[in-house]
Amino acid sequence: ETGVTQSPTHLIKTRGQQVTLRCSSQSGHNTVSWYQQALGQGPQFIFQYYREEENGRGNFPPRFSGLQFPNYSSELNVNALELDDSALYLCASSAYNEQFFGPGTRLTVL
Amino acid sequence: GQQVMQIPQYQHVQEGEDFTTYCNSSTTLSNIQWYKQRPGGHPVFLIQLVKSGEVKKQKRLTFQFGEAKKNSSLHITATQTTDVGTYFCAGLETSGTYKYIFGTGTRLKVLA
């Protein structure tokens, strides 16, 4: 196990709702990245936080937002959910370059 | 923007056969990482390559980084059923933002 935990494991929401996903990074890791992985696809980079500041963002709209806390845990918030937001959401913590992924949160939007 | 493609998309091999997946980037990469994702699991870090022309080995796995730092390959010798999964490369983009761009993945099935 990587020591990276995510909650919840599964989530079902309806279109238009808002969702918050949580990630606890591995001890000592000050960087957290979030990815969206659609079925059969590779992970798509959403954004990265380093020491509570966003320092990189992929091609996702502003309704995808995040936070990193002083203990380096992180949240991903998605507003106005759309059907295409259904995916596995992965967080990955790192101290240098190696990324340790959590088990993911499976989000289904109906 | 940067794109990272992998071929083949799928590969079925008989146990004991070799397997190779290729990763190609539209731009020069700072470094490249390889990950393995088992069905229903999450990506697991395998290795990172940084230098042009670098070759690294992990038991039956051999990783190469191209001279131009735009392509990479993963070769598995004598596949085993435990090698089943999807292999992703991820290239580091540092122009403007710091982010890893994952490839499209190669799904490997090993027939016993």
Side-chain angles (χ1 to χ4, degrees), chain A residues 8-12 37-39 86-89 103-108, chain B residues 40:
Chain A
T9 306
H10 296 87
L11 201 53
I12 299 175
Q37 187 175 26
L39 204 59
S86 294
L88 179 68
Y89 287 85
T105 293
R106 174 73 61 187
L107 173 65
T108 302

Side-chain angles (χ1 to χ4, degrees), chain A residues 12-13 21 53 79:
Chain A
I12 299 175
K13 291 284 188 178
L21 310 182
E53 297 284 333
N79 293 322

